């Protein structure tokens, strides 16, 4: 099938490349000329596993990039809208990009098309798209609007798209429902996963996803409610971690015990400095606005947001408790992205914590495997960017772990111990066992677990304090 995807961001680009991989002919449209020319040269603007392979396979063959919505709409049967829906000041989703694209699509119609809302949007958006398009388009052009929310996670976006748990299609008639079924048929019937040259499926993935057909309104709510639920799990475990700290229990033991219950599950039950990224913060806020607008009290969402924000400040208090004053302290920072596996720093807890530390006149040496260029755009030269974790640790009063990159959990701790000025590791992601840190002679401060200090170095935190006073 011929498919247009409007927006070549984390979702649009991945969707376009994966549709091409599934055998469709795809035109991906963006109005950011710099991004477009990079893509046309085969350069990939985001860090995402397997995306380079897909572009290599399909660019110029089944995958093309364009700046013309009109050309793409006229050449295709289905048009996916995958532009941003950032938060407004009041927490509502800003739908102006979606509206602008819907108008342009309406002006370009040259026959029946299915318009697919892929961006995350509040309930009723498909009705609005339909209304706006009807008002804008010239008489005689038929179209349907379908909601098909996206559940991919950055870092594993390609495999999430090709091997999803479920595909949700919110359509109000059979014709558009069938078209969406046809688009996703290689994943639904398992034929994609049977191909010899497929992108390898992740362990534990189902070979055939559930296809869930709903109304458009239900599909829109499924997406908002799913993200709010996942965010709630993270805030829940963080609140439990705070209780653990008070009673000297171990959150890592507690979360394993909770997650082993299949009714609960262990995913999204990691204690730390809270969720970030371009989705959870804005989607929880947007869902809260939706509930308010329709007159439903949903204070649980207020608490999810409050706990998440407080978690970053708790972490800062730990840094302060370890080092006493912050002014002039040298801190190594591991991680800038909002989570491991991505270069995305939108709403990253790491960036927020660094900004607060910089405002307290700390000197920061930061490392991230993928997000340093993006971080530099925001943090400028207020921090130094270094080549690896060990350089970040060199001469530091403490090493802070702010992103859950897998690489960070495999450091040579004895080497880190030798490089640090004082042996303090403050881990906002609980990447290490306390015993491993203790064996390496490091004082390890983490989330929801009491601090173990090597006997010989129990005064190191204090040493750092006295040096700063000299
Ligand atoms: N990032 C994720 O992990 C994720 C996961 C699921 C759903 N979503 C949702 O998908 C949507 C897109 O998210 P994203 O992270 O890909 O955003 P993004 O900001 O990375 O990409 C959006 C793209 O749309 C382009 N664009 C904006 N207006 C345009 C126009 N008029 N014509 C052509 N292109 C235009 C922008 O230039 C940009 O490249 C959002 O609603 C988001 O909530 C995101």
């Amino acid at each position: 099938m011929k498919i247009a995807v409007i927006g070549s961001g984390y979702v649009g680009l991945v969707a376009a490349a994966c549709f091409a991989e599934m055998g469709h002919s795809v035109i991906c449209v963006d109005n950011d000329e710099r991004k477009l020319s990079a893509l046309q040269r085969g350069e990939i603007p985001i860090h995402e596993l397997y995306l380079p392979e897909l572009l290599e396979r399909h660019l110029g063959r089944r995958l093309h990039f364009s700046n013309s919505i009109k050309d793409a709409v006229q050449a295709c049967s289905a048009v996916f809208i995958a532009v941003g829906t950032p938060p407004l000041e009041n927490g509502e989703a800003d739908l102006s990009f979606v509206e602008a694209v819907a108008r342009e699509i309406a002006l370009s119609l040259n026959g029946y098309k299915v318009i697919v809302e892929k961006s995350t949007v509040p309930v009723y958006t498909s009705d609005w798209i339909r209304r706006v398009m009807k008002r804008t388009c010239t008489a005689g052009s038929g179209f349907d609007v379908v909601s098909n929310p996206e559940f991919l996670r950055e870092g594993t976006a390609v495999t999430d798209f090709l091997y999803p748990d479920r595909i949700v299609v919110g359509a109000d008639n059979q014709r558009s429902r069938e078209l969406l079924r046809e688009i996703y048929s290689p994943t639904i019937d398992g034929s994609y996963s049977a191909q010899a040259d497929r992108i390898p499926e992740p362990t534990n993935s189902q070979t055939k996803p559930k296809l869930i057909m709903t109304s458009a309104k239900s599909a829109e709510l499924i997406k908002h409610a799913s993200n709010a639920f996942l965010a709630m799990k993270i805030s829940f475990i963080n609140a439990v971690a705070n209780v653990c700290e008070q009673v000297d229990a171990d959150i890592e033991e507690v979360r394993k015990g909770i997650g082993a219950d299949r009714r609960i599950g262990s995913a999204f039950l990691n204690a730390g400095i809270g969720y970030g990224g371009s989705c959870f913060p804005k989607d929880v806020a947007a869902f809260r606005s939706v509930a308010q607008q329709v007159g439903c009290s949903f204070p649980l969402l207020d608490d999810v947001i409050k706990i998440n924000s407080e978690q970053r400040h708790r972490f800062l208090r730990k840094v302060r408790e370890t080092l006493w004053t912050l002014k002039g302290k040298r801190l190594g920072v591991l991680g800038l992205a909002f989570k491991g596996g991505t270069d995305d720093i939108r709403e990253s807890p790491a960036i927020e914590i660094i900004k607060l530390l910089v405002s307290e006149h700390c000197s920061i040496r930061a490392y991230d495997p993928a997000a340093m260029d993006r971080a530099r755009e925001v943090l400028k030269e207020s921090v130094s960017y270094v080549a690896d974790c060990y350089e970040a640790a060199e001469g530091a009063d403490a090493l802070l772990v702010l992103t859950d990159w897998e690489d960070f959990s495999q450091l040579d701790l004895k080497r880190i111990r030798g490089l640090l000025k004082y042996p303090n590791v403050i881990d906002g992601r609980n990447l290490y066992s306390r015993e491993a840190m203790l064996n390496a002679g490091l004082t390890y401060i983490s989330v929801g677990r009491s601090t173990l200090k090597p006997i010989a170095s129990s005064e190191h935190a204090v040493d750092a304090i006295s040096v700063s006073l000299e």
Side-chain angles (χ1 to χ4, degrees):
M1 191 175 304
K2 289 193 168 166
I3 297 175
V5 179
I6 318 295
S8 68
Y10 286 86
V11 167
L13 182 56
V14 169
C18 290
F19 283 143
E21 172 74 358
M22 284 153 66
H24 302 298
S25 181
V26 185
I27 304 174
C28 186
V29 180
D30 209 290
N31 60 0
D32 179 336
E33 288 295 340
R34 242 180 31 179
K35 202 184 252 189
L36 263 188
S37 27
L39 284 165
Q40 276 155 344
R41 288 193 302 271
E43 294 164 18
I44 302 173
I46 57 174
H47 175 90
E48 203 56 64
L49 200 64
Y50 297 121
L51 205 47
E53 285 88 331
L54 292 187
L55 254 76
E56 172 86 36
R57 276 185 202 179
H58 304 298
L59 183 60
R61 289 177 280 275
R62 290 207 293 258
L63 176 60
H64 296 270
F65 292 98
S66 164
N67 61 3
S68 168
I69 290 185
K70 186 175 179 195
D71 291 352
V73 168
Q74 298 198 339
C76 297
S77 316
V79 184
F80 284 73
I81 302 177
V83 296
T85 48
L88 291 168
E89 292 248 314
N90 63 3
E92 285 175 29
D94 178 355
L95 298 174
S96 58
F97 300 97
V98 173
E99 182 181 351
V101 167
R103 284 188 194 285
E104 224 176 315
I105 295 171
L107 290 170
S108 311
L109 292 179
N110 61 341
Y112 176 79
K113 314 277 168 183
V114 172
I115 315 307
V116 190
E117 166 193 280
K118 191 59 137 170
S119 301
T120 301
V121 290
V123 65
Y124 287 124
T125 302
S126 70
D127 282 357
W128 273 107
I129 293 177
R130 189 176 298 111
R131 219 174 294 174
V132 160
M133 285 187 63
K134 271 197 177 140
R135 265 189 230 143
T136 313
C137 70
T138 46
S141 303
F143 67 89
D144 279 309
V145 181
V146 171
S147 168
N148 171 223
E150 182 49 56
F151 300 99
L152 64 76
R153 297 159 297 174
E154 289 176 20
T156 51
V158 168
T159 49
D160 285 346
F161 198 95
L162 292 171
Y163 303 98
D165 292 339
R166 82 294 211 188
I167 295 165
V168 174
V169 174
D172 298 323
N173 66 44
Q174 196 58 22
R175 185 176 185 187
S176 53
R177 234 173 258 141
E178 283 315 311
L179 191 122
L180 266 286
R181 189 194 293 276
E182 194 186 329
I183 290 174
Y184 285 106
S185 62
T187 50
I188 296 166
D189 64 17
S191 58
Y192 177 72
S193 61
Q195 282 177 23
D197 63 347
R198 68 187 180 275
I199 295 294
E201 58 273 32
T203 40
N204 302 330
S205 79
Q206 315 171 144
T207 43
K208 291 184 189 175
K210 283 196 181 89
L211 175 63
I212 301 172
M213 294 286 190
T214 67
S215 69
K217 283 201 273 270
S218 296
E220 289 162 342
L221 277 176
I222 287 170
K223 176 62 190 178
H224 261 170
S226 298
N227 273 5
F229 190 86
L230 293 173
M232 181 188 72
K233 276 186 96 175
I234 296 172
S235 282
F236 181 86
I237 203 66
N238 279 331
V240 175
N242 298 339
V243 176
C244 285
E245 285 178 10
Q246 296 309 310
V247 302
D248 202 13
D250 182 338
I251 188 63
E252 294 306 311
E253 293 173 353
V254 173
R255 88 177 170 83
K256 276 185 201 129
I258 302 172
D261 184 331
R262 268 184 297 173
R263 293 170 303 176
I264 299 171
S266 59
F268 290 81
L269 272 188
N270 294 321
I273 49 177
Y275 61 79
S278 68
C279 292
F280 286 2
K282 90 169 166 59
D283 292 348
V284 178
F287 193 34
R288 183 174 61 168
S289 294
V290 166
Q292 274 164 0
Q293 280 165 15
V294 298
C296 292
S297 167
F298 206 158
L300 179 61
L301 297 180
D302 296 329
D303 285 334
V304 169
I305 294 168
K306 194 165 149 235
I307 293 167
N308 196 55
S309 157
E310 174 59 15
Q311 210 56 14
R312 296 160 196 202
H313 294 281
R314 279 184 81 91
F315 183 81
L316 270 182
R317 285 202 290 277
K318 286 177 186 170
V319 179
R320 207 185 294 281
E321 277 159 19
T322 309
L323 301 175
W324 188 23
T325 62
L326 294 179
K327 190 174 171 185
K329 294 283 161 60
R330 177 161 159 164
L331 303 173
V333 166
L334 304 187
L336 298 161
F338 82 92
K339 66 169 187 173
T342 180
D343 59 340
D344 199 344
I345 56 156
R346 290 178 285 183
E347 299 281 331
S348 169
I351 299 288
E352 190 185 330
I353 287 170
I354 289 170
K355 279 184 179 169
L356 290 167
L357 290 168
V358 167
S359 74
E360 300 255 12
H361 305 287
C362 291
S363 141
I364 308 267
R365 287 157 66 80
Y367 171 70
D368 188 287
M372 294 215 280
D373 287 346
R374 287 191 195 276
R376 198 177 268 117
E377 288 168 19
V378 176
L379 298 171
K380 312 286 180 203
E381 301 310 317
S382 66
V383 311
S384 310
Y385 305 91
V386 296
D388 61 32
C389 299
Y390 300 102
E391 206 180 326
E394 224 174 285
D397 292 299
L399 184 67
L400 275 44
V401 183
L402 301 184
T403 306
D404 56 347
W405 279 97
E406 208 181 320
D407 294 2
F408 295 167
S409 64
Q410 288 153 11
L411 297 178
D412 175 346
L413 294 180
K414 291 243 161 76
R415 188 171 162 206
I416 291 285
R417 167 72 187 88
L419 288 167
L420 283 168
K421 185 169 172 196
Y422 298 103
N424 301 312
V425 175
I426 312 176
D427 182 356
R429 299 295 185 177
N430 283 5
L431 295 188
Y432 281 91
S433 78
R434 294 184 305 163
E435 291 67 30
M437 284 284 170
L438 191 66
N439 290 340
L442 289 158
T443 297
Y444 184 51
I445 300 105
S446 55
V447 179
R449 297 182 287 181
S450 58
T451 300
L452 292 186
K453 287 183 183 176
I455 292 165
S457 60
S458 59
E459 294 307 315
H460 278 288
V462 179
D463 288 350
I465 292 164
S466 55
V467 167
S468 81
L469 291 173
E470 279 165 12

